[in-house]
mmCIF file of all heavy atoms in Angstrom:
data_model
loop_
_atom_site.group_PDB
_atom_site.id
_atom_site.type_symbol
_atom_site.label_atom_id
_atom_site.label_comp_id
_atom_site.label_asym_id
_atom_site.label_seq_id
_atom_site.Cartn_x
_atom_site.Cartn_y
_atom_site.Cartn_z
ATOM 1 N N GLY S 1 60.282 -6.825 -1.677
ATOM 2 C CA GLY S 1 59.689 -5.670 -2.351
ATOM 3 C C GLY S 1 59.540 -4.430 -1.499
ATOM 4 O O GLY S 1 59.785 -3.310 -1.967
ATOM 5 N N MET S 2 59.127 -4.586 -0.242
ATOM 6 C CA MET S 2 58.951 -3.407 0.615
ATOM 7 C C MET S 2 60.283 -2.717 0.876
ATOM 8 O O MET S 2 60.357 -1.483 0.954
ATOM 9 C CB MET S 2 58.274 -3.803 1.928
ATOM 10 C CG MET S 2 56.810 -4.155 1.787
ATOM 11 S SD MET S 2 55.973 -4.449 3.367
ATOM 12 C CE MET S 2 56.559 -6.100 3.790
ATOM 13 N N ILE S 3 61.333 -3.501 1.025
ATOM 14 C CA ILE S 3 62.666 -2.931 1.253
ATOM 15 C C ILE S 3 63.118 -2.157 0.021
ATOM 16 O O ILE S 3 63.603 -1.023 0.126
ATOM 17 C CB ILE S 3 63.670 -4.039 1.610
ATOM 18 C CG1 ILE S 3 63.265 -4.719 2.918
ATOM 19 C CG2 ILE S 3 65.087 -3.479 1.709
ATOM 20 C CD1 ILE S 3 64.009 -6.005 3.214
ATOM 21 N N PHE S 4 62.926 -2.748 -1.159
ATOM 22 C CA PHE S 4 63.315 -2.066 -2.383
ATOM 23 C C PHE S 4 62.485 -0.798 -2.603
ATOM 24 O O PHE S 4 62.997 0.200 -3.117
ATOM 25 C CB PHE S 4 63.176 -3.006 -3.579
ATOM 26 C CG PHE S 4 64.206 -4.109 -3.606
ATOM 27 C CD1 PHE S 4 63.881 -5.372 -4.060
ATOM 28 C CD2 PHE S 4 65.505 -3.878 -3.179
ATOM 29 C CE1 PHE S 4 64.822 -6.387 -4.091
ATOM 30 C CE2 PHE S 4 66.457 -4.888 -3.205
ATOM 31 C CZ PHE S 4 66.119 -6.149 -3.666
ATOM 32 N N ALA S 5 61.223 -0.836 -2.204
ATOM 33 C CA ALA S 5 60.378 0.361 -2.326
ATOM 34 C C ALA S 5 60.925 1.487 -1.455
ATOM 35 O O ALA S 5 60.984 2.647 -1.884
ATOM 36 C CB ALA S 5 58.946 0.026 -1.923
ATOM 37 N N ALA S 6 61.334 1.161 -0.236
ATOM 38 C CA ALA S 6 61.912 2.169 0.650
ATOM 39 C C ALA S 6 63.193 2.739 0.062
ATOM 40 O O ALA S 6 63.483 3.937 0.192
ATOM 41 C CB ALA S 6 62.189 1.564 2.022
ATOM 42 N N CYS S 7 63.949 1.886 -0.617
ATOM 43 C CA CYS S 7 65.197 2.349 -1.229
ATOM 44 C C CYS S 7 64.933 3.240 -2.433
ATOM 45 O O CYS S 7 65.826 3.984 -2.863
ATOM 46 C CB CYS S 7 66.067 1.153 -1.613
ATOM 47 S SG CYS S 7 66.704 0.241 -0.183
ATOM 48 N N GLU S 8 63.738 3.183 -3.004
ATOM 49 C CA GLU S 8 63.348 4.135 -4.042
ATOM 50 C C GLU S 8 62.994 5.489 -3.432
ATOM 51 O O GLU S 8 63.254 6.539 -4.015
ATOM 52 C CB GLU S 8 62.147 3.609 -4.834
ATOM 53 C CG GLU S 8 62.467 2.497 -5.815
ATOM 54 C CD GLU S 8 61.278 2.159 -6.702
ATOM 55 O OE1 GLU S 8 60.148 2.602 -6.400
ATOM 56 O OE2 GLU S 8 61.484 1.454 -7.706
ATOM 57 N N ASP S 9 62.392 5.458 -2.252
ATOM 58 C CA ASP S 9 61.933 6.692 -1.605
ATOM 59 C C ASP S 9 63.050 7.424 -0.869
ATOM 60 O O ASP S 9 63.043 8.654 -0.773
ATOM 61 C CB ASP S 9 60.814 6.381 -0.607
ATOM 62 C CG ASP S 9 59.541 5.902 -1.275
ATOM 63 O OD1 ASP S 9 59.389 6.109 -2.496
ATOM 64 O OD2 ASP S 9 58.699 5.308 -0.571
ATOM 65 N N PHE S 10 63.987 6.665 -0.306
ATOM 66 C CA PHE S 10 65.059 7.233 0.506
ATOM 67 C C PHE S 10 66.418 6.864 -0.090
ATOM 68 O O PHE S 10 66.533 5.872 -0.816
ATOM 69 C CB PHE S 10 64.990 6.700 1.943
ATOM 70 C CG PHE S 10 63.700 6.981 2.647
ATOM 71 C CD1 PHE S 10 62.783 5.965 2.891
ATOM 72 C CD2 PHE S 10 63.382 8.260 3.082
ATOM 73 C CE1 PHE S 10 61.585 6.216 3.548
ATOM 74 C CE2 PHE S 10 62.189 8.529 3.736
ATOM 75 C CZ PHE S 10 61.281 7.499 3.974
ATOM 76 N N ALA S 11 67.434 7.645 0.242
ATOM 77 C CA ALA S 11 68.807 7.333 -0.180
ATOM 78 C C ALA S 11 69.399 6.379 0.846
ATOM 79 O O ALA S 11 69.906 6.803 1.891
ATOM 80 C CB ALA S 11 69.634 8.608 -0.280
ATOM 81 N N ILE S 12 69.316 5.088 0.573
ATOM 82 C CA ILE S 12 69.706 4.057 1.539
ATOM 83 C C ILE S 12 70.883 3.246 1.015
ATOM 84 O O ILE S 12 70.887 2.797 -0.136
ATOM 85 C CB ILE S 12 68.510 3.139 1.850
ATOM 86 C CG1 ILE S 12 67.448 3.913 2.638
ATOM 87 C CG2 ILE S 12 68.949 1.897 2.625
ATOM 88 C CD1 ILE S 12 66.178 3.140 2.908
ATOM 89 N N ASP S 13 71.862 3.063 1.875
ATOM 90 C CA ASP S 13 73.012 2.205 1.593
ATOM 91 C C ASP S 13 72.647 0.797 2.056
ATOM 92 O O ASP S 13 72.794 0.450 3.223
ATOM 93 C CB ASP S 13 74.229 2.737 2.360
ATOM 94 C CG ASP S 13 75.510 1.963 2.068
ATOM 95 O OD1 ASP S 13 75.416 0.873 1.462
ATOM 96 O OD2 ASP S 13 76.581 2.434 2.463
ATOM 97 N N ARG S 14 72.142 -0.010 1.130
ATOM 98 C CA ARG S 14 71.617 -1.323 1.520
ATOM 99 C C ARG S 14 72.640 -2.235 2.188
ATOM 100 O O ARG S 14 72.328 -2.855 3.205
ATOM 101 C CB ARG S 14 70.962 -2.016 0.324
ATOM 102 C CG ARG S 14 69.525 -1.593 0.109
ATOM 103 C CD ARG S 14 68.793 -2.525 -0.855
ATOM 104 N NE ARG S 14 69.271 -2.400 -2.210
ATOM 105 C CZ ARG S 14 69.734 -3.388 -2.956
ATOM 106 N NH1 ARG S 14 69.815 -4.609 -2.465
ATOM 107 N NH2 ARG S 14 70.127 -3.173 -4.192
ATOM 108 N N PRO S 15 73.864 -2.371 1.659
ATOM 109 C CA PRO S 15 74.802 -3.302 2.305
ATOM 110 C C PRO S 15 75.149 -2.928 3.750
ATOM 111 O O PRO S 15 75.567 -3.791 4.530
ATOM 112 C CB PRO S 15 76.042 -3.233 1.402
ATOM 113 C CG PRO S 15 75.518 -2.808 0.072
ATOM 114 C CD PRO S 15 74.397 -1.850 0.387
ATOM 115 N N GLU S 16 74.971 -1.648 4.094
ATOM 116 C CA GLU S 16 75.268 -1.213 5.456
ATOM 117 C C GLU S 16 74.016 -1.147 6.328
ATOM 118 O O GLU S 16 74.089 -0.751 7.492
ATOM 119 C CB GLU S 16 75.953 0.162 5.432
ATOM 120 C CG GLU S 16 77.330 0.143 4.774
ATOM 121 C CD GLU S 16 78.286 -0.820 5.465
ATOM 122 O OE1 GLU S 16 78.320 -0.832 6.704
ATOM 123 O OE2 GLU S 16 78.987 -1.581 4.763
ATOM 124 N N SER S 17 72.882 -1.526 5.767
ATOM 125 C CA SER S 17 71.615 -1.463 6.494
ATOM 126 C C SER S 17 71.314 -2.781 7.196
ATOM 127 O O SER S 17 71.903 -3.820 6.887
ATOM 128 C CB SER S 17 70.477 -1.094 5.541
ATOM 129 O OG SER S 17 70.681 0.189 4.987
ATOM 130 N N VAL S 18 70.371 -2.716 8.131
ATOM 131 C CA VAL S 18 70.041 -3.868 8.980
ATOM 132 C C VAL S 18 68.536 -4.061 9.007
ATOM 133 O O VAL S 18 67.778 -3.082 9.052
ATOM 134 C CB VAL S 18 70.542 -3.650 10.425
ATOM 135 C CG1 VAL S 18 70.254 -4.872 11.284
ATOM 136 C CG2 VAL S 18 72.021 -3.314 10.452
ATOM 137 N N LEU S 19 68.101 -5.314 8.998
ATOM 138 C CA LEU S 19 66.694 -5.631 9.237
ATOM 139 C C LEU S 19 66.581 -6.433 10.519
ATOM 140 O O LEU S 19 67.348 -7.380 10.731
ATOM 141 C CB LEU S 19 66.094 -6.418 8.077
ATOM 142 C CG LEU S 19 64.611 -6.795 8.263
ATOM 143 C CD1 LEU S 19 63.837 -6.658 6.962
ATOM 144 C CD2 LEU S 19 64.456 -8.213 8.817
ATOM 145 N N VAL S 20 65.624 -6.062 11.362
ATOM 146 C CA VAL S 20 65.350 -6.794 12.596
ATOM 147 C C VAL S 20 63.947 -7.372 12.513
ATOM 148 O O VAL S 20 62.973 -6.639 12.273
ATOM 149 C CB VAL S 20 65.458 -5.887 13.838
ATOM 150 C CG1 VAL S 20 65.235 -6.706 15.113
ATOM 151 C CG2 VAL S 20 66.814 -5.191 13.884
ATOM 152 N N GLY S 21 63.832 -8.685 12.685
ATOM 153 C CA GLY S 21 62.529 -9.342 12.606
ATOM 154 C C GLY S 21 62.401 -10.461 13.609
ATOM 155 O O GLY S 21 63.376 -10.864 14.254
ATOM 156 N N ASP S 22 61.169 -10.963 13.739
ATOM 157 C CA ASP S 22 60.908 -12.060 14.680
ATOM 158 C C ASP S 22 60.546 -13.351 13.963
ATOM 159 O O ASP S 22 60.246 -14.354 14.612
ATOM 160 C CB ASP S 22 59.803 -11.680 15.667
ATOM 161 C CG ASP S 22 58.433 -11.523 15.002
ATOM 162 O OD1 ASP S 22 58.377 -11.038 13.844
ATOM 163 O OD2 ASP S 22 57.417 -11.881 15.635
ATOM 164 N N LYS S 23 60.576 -13.326 12.620
ATOM 165 C CA LYS S 23 60.235 -14.513 11.836
ATOM 166 C C LYS S 23 61.339 -14.813 10.818
ATOM 167 O O LYS S 23 62.040 -13.894 10.355
ATOM 168 C CB LYS S 23 58.922 -14.316 11.073
ATOM 169 C CG LYS S 23 57.670 -14.292 11.932
ATOM 170 C CD LYS S 23 56.446 -14.173 11.028
ATOM 171 C CE LYS S 23 55.142 -14.310 11.797
ATOM 172 N NZ LYS S 23 53.978 -14.235 10.884
ATOM 173 N N ILE S 24 61.429 -16.081 10.446
ATOM 174 C CA ILE S 24 62.361 -16.473 9.401
ATOM 175 C C ILE S 24 62.054 -15.713 8.104
ATOM 176 O O ILE S 24 62.953 -15.314 7.367
ATOM 177 C CB ILE S 24 62.301 -17.992 9.147
ATOM 178 C CG1 ILE S 24 62.661 -18.771 10.427
ATOM 179 C CG2 ILE S 24 63.214 -18.391 7.995
ATOM 180 C CD1 ILE S 24 64.056 -18.557 10.929
ATOM 181 N N ALA S 25 60.770 -15.487 7.820
ATOM 182 C CA ALA S 25 60.383 -14.752 6.608
ATOM 183 C C ALA S 25 60.984 -13.353 6.597
ATOM 184 O O ALA S 25 61.379 -12.847 5.536
ATOM 185 C CB ALA S 25 58.867 -14.679 6.489
ATOM 186 N N ASP S 26 61.057 -12.706 7.752
ATOM 187 C CA ASP S 26 61.678 -11.382 7.842
ATOM 188 C C ASP S 26 63.150 -11.465 7.459
ATOM 189 O O ASP S 26 63.659 -10.655 6.671
ATOM 190 C CB ASP S 26 61.569 -10.825 9.261
ATOM 191 C CG ASP S 26 60.146 -10.654 9.740
ATOM 192 O OD1 ASP S 26 59.280 -10.292 8.922
ATOM 193 O OD2 ASP S 26 59.903 -10.873 10.944
ATOM 194 N N ILE S 27 63.829 -12.435 8.052
ATOM 195 C CA ILE S 27 65.260 -12.587 7.818
ATOM 196 C C ILE S 27 65.534 -12.878 6.338
ATOM 197 O O ILE S 27 66.471 -12.325 5.742
ATOM 198 C CB ILE S 27 65.831 -13.715 8.706
ATOM 199 C CG1 ILE S 27 65.565 -13.408 10.192
ATOM 200 C CG2 ILE S 27 67.317 -13.915 8.447
ATOM 201 C CD1 ILE S 27 66.028 -12.042 10.658
ATOM 202 N N ARG S 28 64.709 -13.709 5.740
ATOM 203 C CA ARG S 28 64.902 -14.029 4.323
ATOM 204 C C ARG S 28 64.665 -12.815 3.436
ATOM 205 O O ARG S 28 65.349 -12.641 2.417
ATOM 206 C CB ARG S 28 64.021 -15.208 3.943
ATOM 207 C CG ARG S 28 64.531 -16.506 4.567
ATOM 208 C CD ARG S 28 63.695 -17.713 4.268
ATOM 209 N NE ARG S 28 64.350 -18.909 4.800
ATOM 210 C CZ ARG S 28 63.777 -20.093 4.935
ATOM 211 N NH1 ARG S 28 62.503 -20.256 4.578
ATOM 212 N NH2 ARG S 28 64.457 -21.110 5.433
ATOM 213 N N ALA S 29 63.711 -11.966 3.805
ATOM 214 C CA ALA S 29 63.496 -10.732 3.042
ATOM 215 C C ALA S 29 64.719 -9.836 3.134
ATOM 216 O O ALA S 29 65.175 -9.268 2.135
ATOM 217 C CB ALA S 29 62.257 -10.007 3.556
ATOM 218 N N GLY S 30 65.250 -9.690 4.340
ATOM 219 C CA GLY S 30 66.445 -8.871 4.523
ATOM 220 C C GLY S 30 67.627 -9.422 3.756
ATOM 221 O O GLY S 30 68.360 -8.679 3.090
ATOM 222 N N ASN S 31 67.829 -10.723 3.837
ATOM 223 C CA ASN S 31 68.941 -11.340 3.129
ATOM 224 C C ASN S 31 68.794 -11.182 1.614
ATOM 225 O O ASN S 31 69.766 -10.929 0.899
ATOM 226 C CB ASN S 31 69.045 -12.824 3.492
ATOM 227 C CG ASN S 31 69.540 -13.047 4.909
ATOM 228 O OD1 ASN S 31 70.154 -12.164 5.513
ATOM 229 N ND2 ASN S 31 69.274 -14.222 5.457
ATOM 230 N N ALA S 32 67.554 -11.316 1.123
ATOM 231 C CA ALA S 32 67.310 -11.181 -0.318
ATOM 232 C C ALA S 32 67.616 -9.770 -0.813
ATOM 233 O O ALA S 32 67.971 -9.580 -1.977
ATOM 234 C CB ALA S 32 65.862 -11.546 -0.637
ATOM 235 N N ALA S 33 67.465 -8.789 0.092
ATOM 236 C CA ALA S 33 67.739 -7.396 -0.271
ATOM 237 C C ALA S 33 69.190 -7.011 -0.013
ATOM 238 O O ALA S 33 69.588 -5.867 -0.265
ATOM 239 C CB ALA S 33 66.807 -6.464 0.503
ATOM 240 N N GLY S 34 69.978 -7.941 0.504
ATOM 241 C CA GLY S 34 71.389 -7.658 0.761
ATOM 242 C C GLY S 34 71.655 -6.909 2.044
ATOM 243 O O GLY S 34 72.677 -6.226 2.173
ATOM 244 N N LEU S 35 70.747 -7.035 3.012
ATOM 245 C CA LEU S 35 70.915 -6.364 4.302
ATOM 246 C C LEU S 35 71.576 -7.289 5.317
ATOM 247 O O LEU S 35 71.559 -8.508 5.172
ATOM 248 C CB LEU S 35 69.559 -5.925 4.868
ATOM 249 C CG LEU S 35 68.581 -5.175 3.971
ATOM 250 C CD1 LEU S 35 67.346 -4.792 4.783
ATOM 251 C CD2 LEU S 35 69.226 -3.952 3.362
ATOM 252 N N LYS S 36 72.113 -6.701 6.369
ATOM 253 C CA LYS S 36 72.461 -7.464 7.558
ATOM 254 C C LYS S 36 71.146 -7.795 8.261
ATOM 255 O O LYS S 36 70.176 -7.034 8.158
ATOM 256 C CB LYS S 36 73.363 -6.643 8.480
ATOM 257 C CG LYS S 36 74.634 -6.146 7.815
ATOM 258 C CD LYS S 36 75.329 -5.105 8.676
ATOM 259 C CE LYS S 36 76.489 -4.470 7.935
ATOM 260 N NZ LYS S 36 77.134 -3.384 8.694
ATOM 261 N N THR S 37 71.103 -8.906 8.993
ATOM 262 C CA THR S 37 69.832 -9.299 9.607
ATOM 263 C C THR S 37 70.024 -9.728 11.056
ATOM 264 O O THR S 37 71.047 -10.309 11.415
ATOM 265 C CB THR S 37 69.176 -10.456 8.828
ATOM 266 O OG1 THR S 37 70.103 -11.543 8.704
ATOM 267 C CG2 THR S 37 68.743 -10.011 7.440
ATOM 268 N N VAL S 38 69.005 -9.435 11.855
ATOM 269 C CA VAL S 38 68.983 -9.796 13.270
ATOM 270 C C VAL S 38 67.604 -10.357 13.590
ATOM 271 O O VAL S 38 66.586 -9.795 13.165
ATOM 272 C CB VAL S 38 69.249 -8.572 14.172
ATOM 273 C CG1 VAL S 38 69.269 -8.990 15.642
ATOM 274 C CG2 VAL S 38 70.545 -7.876 13.783
ATOM 275 N N MET S 39 67.568 -11.428 14.335
ATOM 276 C CA MET S 39 66.296 -12.022 14.758
ATOM 277 C C MET S 39 66.133 -11.824 16.256
ATOM 278 O O MET S 39 67.106 -11.920 17.025
ATOM 279 C CB MET S 39 66.258 -13.500 14.412
ATOM 280 C CG MET S 39 64.874 -14.102 14.376
ATOM 281 S SD MET S 39 64.895 -15.701 13.533
ATOM 282 C CE MET S 39 63.167 -16.113 13.639
ATOM 283 N N VAL S 40 64.906 -11.518 16.678
ATOM 284 C CA VAL S 40 64.632 -11.313 18.106
ATOM 285 C C VAL S 40 63.705 -12.400 18.632
ATOM 286 O O VAL S 40 62.962 -13.029 17.872
ATOM 287 C CB VAL S 40 64.018 -9.918 18.365
ATOM 288 C CG1 VAL S 40 65.053 -8.825 18.141
ATOM 289 C CG2 VAL S 40 62.794 -9.678 17.494
ATOM 290 N N ARG S 41 63.773 -12.587 19.950
ATOM 291 C CA ARG S 41 63.004 -13.652 20.588
ATOM 292 C C ARG S 41 61.618 -13.200 21.019
ATOM 293 O O ARG S 41 60.869 -13.982 21.609
ATOM 294 C CB ARG S 41 63.773 -14.202 21.795
ATOM 295 C CG ARG S 41 65.096 -14.870 21.414
ATOM 296 C CD ARG S 41 65.767 -15.534 22.621
ATOM 297 N NE ARG S 41 66.984 -16.221 22.233
ATOM 298 C CZ ARG S 41 68.203 -15.693 22.273
ATOM 299 N NH1 ARG S 41 68.365 -14.430 22.700
ATOM 300 N NH2 ARG S 41 69.251 -16.388 21.892
ATOM 301 N N THR S 42 61.253 -11.955 20.751
ATOM 302 C CA THR S 42 59.904 -11.483 21.055
ATOM 303 C C THR S 42 58.957 -11.934 19.954
ATOM 304 O O THR S 42 59.381 -12.381 18.884
ATOM 305 C CB THR S 42 59.900 -9.948 21.175
ATOM 306 O OG1 THR S 42 60.612 -9.393 20.066
ATOM 307 C CG2 THR S 42 60.564 -9.507 22.474
ATOM 308 N N GLY S 43 57.646 -11.829 20.203
ATOM 309 C CA GLY S 43 56.665 -12.217 19.192
ATOM 310 C C GLY S 43 56.834 -13.663 18.774
ATOM 311 O O GLY S 43 57.039 -14.559 19.602
ATOM 312 N N HIS S 44 56.771 -13.908 17.474
ATOM 313 C CA HIS S 44 56.942 -15.266 16.956
ATOM 314 C C HIS S 44 58.369 -15.775 17.147
ATOM 315 O O HIS S 44 58.630 -16.970 17.022
ATOM 316 C CB HIS S 44 56.566 -15.315 15.476
ATOM 317 C CG HIS S 44 55.100 -15.176 15.219
ATOM 318 N ND1 HIS S 44 54.205 -16.219 15.374
ATOM 319 C CD2 HIS S 44 54.358 -14.104 14.840
ATOM 320 C CE1 HIS S 44 52.982 -15.805 15.085
ATOM 321 N NE2 HIS S 44 53.050 -14.527 14.754
#
């Protein structure tokens, strides 16, 4: 939902966009929105 909300506010090309997170939940949100995803070893 937060990703889709941002896409309402900004002109965003979702398939070319990237999400970076430290949790599996982050990656799943990005994947659900059709983004490329990257996980980092910091934090969780």
Side-chain angles (χ1 to χ4, degrees):
M2 288 186 283
I3 297 168
F4 289 144
C7 292
E8 285 188 347
D9 293 343
F10 301 108
I12 291 176
D13 184 347
R14 276 194 290 124
E16 295 302 316
S17 297
V18 183
L19 180 141
V20 183
D22 67 324
K23 289 183 173 182
I24 300 297
D26 299 324
I27 302 307
R28 289 179 174 167
N31 289 340
L35 312 183
K36 303 168 188 176
T37 54
V38 182
M39 199 165 181
V40 290
R41 296 186 177 93
T42 47
H44 289 281

